[in-house]
Amino acid sequence: MWRAVAVRALCGARSGAGAPRAASGAAAAQLRRRLESELEDIRGAGTWKSERVIASRQGPHLRLADGGAGIINFCANNYLGLSSHPEVIRAAVEALEKFGAGLSSVRFICGTQSIHKDLEEKIARFHQREDAILYASCFDANAGIFEALLTPEDAVLSDELNHASIIDGIRLCKANKYRYKHMDMQDLEAKLKEAQKHRLRLVATDGAFSMDGDIAPLREICQLAQKYDALVFIDECHATGFLGPNGRGTDELLGVMDKVTIINSTLGKALGGAAGGYTTGPKPLIDLLRQRSRPYLFSNSLPPAVVGCASKALDLLMESNAIAQSMAAKTQRFRSKMTAAGFTISGKDHPICPVMLGDARLASVMAEDMLNRGIYVIGFSYPVVPKGKARIRVQISAVHSDEDIDRCVEAFTQVGRKHGALP
């Protein structure tokens, strides 16, 4: 009898397989109406974010799933071209075969393998710090550090244009919160004076700001921190691997490696492009995070393949700085040619090159037209950037050729004239 019941249940499940089911009831219907109205507002504002489907590996040249081939990609965080580097891929495959697909566990239960400890040691050595701790992403690293480190007796001072993950991480902690104007050292000093009443003061800033391509004035920040007895935290997601003589980041670039206390960064951009993030700094801090950082304690360990490719990426960087140094000339080529064409490019000397347009719809339409010319770029608008600051963010990679860059500039010039962004 039980077999007949099972067969009927299975047949019933199969008959409805693939059919979408919507929740019923007045509340569900009300929710659907509200969501559809909000989505329509997003479309109407010209800020709808479509997801283009890629049918090839990441790299300077892509093939799209809808048949588009020969597309030049200028919007990846693949700064060093390591996402498809043969040695990085091989290291990931070897780690997958030796250590498996995943750990099915958090680190403190049964989720720590030798490769996790080796990578943490390698990260600390690369940044010349005492220790490091891995996370599933840098978003998790930023979500996990402020709450574990800061108490209601402390204060955190944050640049107003810091990445959303820093902002969210600070929201989670109970410290006294100060926000200073973007890279404004007079305002930071005023806030530091005001925060002197608190036990510990932590200045938090992006090393390189992802939407604007500008670099934090770390020398001045560190001088103020020393003057007012504060600590410095930097998020290096858009700096690790390619800024500084050896690619160690903005603290190396600006000569303040001994003045920055805590560094958070990612393995998902220049360092292989897969996933993962980390915190590196004083060993007692790292030990505390292993005990109290919630994203670390309650998230699965990084998969072995991810660990393997990130570890090989670091090996390549520490063996030679040639890859890290190859970007400066290409970045300068793009910036100078775009400026000569009449565009305004935000930031300075960073491979993030925002083409400032102001209007959200213009940024979206131009990005779509660029794709029609074989150039893959994305328009950014509110709420990702402030209202009135819409732009197309171009990102230069070490594996772009001069011909790729020149073709991109030519397409921008044609599209800009077509849509009135250029005279």
Side-chain angles (χ1 to χ4, degrees):
M1 179 178 178
W2 66 268
R3 287 180 178 173
V5 172
V7 169
R8 284 197 300 271
L10 181 59
C11 290
R14 283 177 176 170
S15 66
R21 297 183 180 181
S24 60
Q30 181 184 26
L31 173 64
R32 177 177 287 271
R33 288 194 299 271
R34 182 176 68 80
L35 294 177
E36 288 176 345
S37 175
E38 190 168 340
L39 292 171
E40 191 56 39
D41 288 344
I42 295 172
R43 292 188 184 93
T47 58
W48 184 267
K49 298 165 188 64
S50 300
E51 296 181 0
R52 297 166 180 165
V53 181
I54 298 170
S56 63
R57 63 179 58 182
Q58 184 63 274
H61 296 250
L62 301 175
R63 179 170 55 85
L64 300 183
D66 62 5
I71 304 297
I72 307 177
N73 187 11
F74 276 95
C75 58
N77 297 314
N78 185 26
Y79 294 110
L80 301 178
L82 297 182
S83 294
S84 300
H85 193 287
E87 290 187 50
V88 172
I89 293 173
R90 186 160 52 248
V93 172
E94 290 172 356
L96 178 67
E97 292 176 340
K98 183 175 181 180
F99 291 97
L103 278 297
S104 304
S105 174
V106 299
R107 288 285 297 271
F108 79 94
I109 298 179
C110 58
T112 299
Q113 294 172 313
S114 57
I115 52 173
H116 294 94
K117 299 304 293 183
D118 291 344
L119 179 55
E120 287 170 336
E121 185 277 330
K122 195 174 293 185
I123 289 168
R125 181 155 42 92
F126 177 71
H127 285 285
Q128 299 181 358
R129 296 305 196 275
E130 294 177 20
D131 202 357
I133 179 173
L134 290 170
Y135 287 87
S137 68
C138 191
F139 204 113
D140 278 350
N142 286 340
I145 188 167
F146 300 104
E147 183 181 26
L149 177 62
L150 302 175
T151 74
E153 298 180 65
D154 305 317
V156 57
L157 303 94
S158 174
D159 187 294
E160 66 179 349
L161 293 188
N162 275 340
H163 191 267
S165 59
I166 299 176
I167 295 169
D168 285 358
I170 290 173
R171 284 173 177 163
L172 290 171
C173 79
K174 296 180 180 178
N176 298 274
K177 302 168 181 67
Y178 298 81
R179 186 173 65 173
Y180 64 91
K181 297 175 184 177
H182 181 48
M183 300 200 306
D184 186 326
M185 294 300 96
Q186 287 186 334
D187 195 39
L188 174 58
E189 183 166 19
K191 298 294 193 301
L192 280 167
K193 288 178 180 177
E194 188 179 348
Q196 286 300 291
K197 56 193 174 189
H198 304 298
R199 181 187 64 173
L200 182 151
R201 292 157 296 283
L202 178 69
V203 180
T205 181
D206 279 324
F209 291 86
S210 62
M211 285 297 117
D212 294 280
D214 48 14
I215 297 170
L218 277 185
R219 289 196 191 99
E220 293 81 358
I221 289 173
C222 289
Q223 288 170 359
L224 288 173
Q226 187 171 16
K227 180 178 179 179
Y228 293 98
D229 195 24
L231 304 173
V232 177
F233 160 97
I234 55 174
D235 178 314
E236 289 285 80
C237 285
H238 292 274
T240 298
F242 56 92
L243 287 189
N246 300 289
R248 291 190 171 93
T250 54
D251 60 337
E252 182 187 49
L253 176 72
L254 298 174
V256 291
M257 291 185 70
D258 59 336
K259 301 292 193 302
V260 174
T261 306
I262 306 165
I263 295 173
N264 277 12
S265 195
T266 183
L267 305 172
K269 292 183 172 58
L271 301 184
Y278 58 84
T279 296
T280 185
K283 189 177 189 312
L285 169 65
I286 304 304
D287 289 342
L288 179 68
L289 293 176
R290 293 192 195 279
Q291 302 304 312
R292 292 187 178 174
S293 180
R294 292 166 68 85
Y296 177 82
L297 289 168
F298 298 104
S299 296
N300 264 17
S301 307
L302 275 182
V306 172
V307 176
C309 72
S311 184
K312 175 54 68 172
L314 279 170
D315 287 342
L316 293 172
L317 282 176
M318 288 192 282
E319 288 168 6
S320 170
N321 67 354
I323 302 177
Q325 292 301 304
S326 68
M327 298 191 59
K330 294 178 181 180
T331 298
Q332 178 58 31
R333 184 183 187 92
F334 179 80
R335 285 179 170 272
S336 62
K337 283 178 173 286
M338 286 290 285
T339 301
F343 288 101
T344 298
I345 310 299
S346 180
K348 182 182 179 183
D349 301 332
H350 194 284
I352 292 175
C353 305
V355 182
M356 304 303 293
L357 299 169
D359 181 79
R361 191 179 299 277
L362 175 63
S364 178
V365 169
M366 281 185 59
E368 195 65 34
D369 215 352
M370 289 287 288
L371 185 61
N372 294 333
R373 287 166 168 77
I375 305 296
Y376 191 159
V377 289
I378 295 293
F380 288 85
S381 55
Y382 181 84
V384 180
V385 298
K387 289 183 178 180
K389 297 289 186 179
R391 78 281 309 264
I392 292 176
R393 186 180 69 174
V394 175
Q395 290 167 274
I396 307 299
S397 172
V399 288
H400 281 132
S401 67
D402 287 348
E403 291 75 17
D404 292 337
I405 292 170
D406 292 348
R407 183 176 163 189
C408 182
V409 173
E410 181 182 359
F412 259 113
T413 303
Q414 293 172 354
V415 171
R417 286 172 180 159
K418 175 181 175 182
H419 295 284
L422 289 179

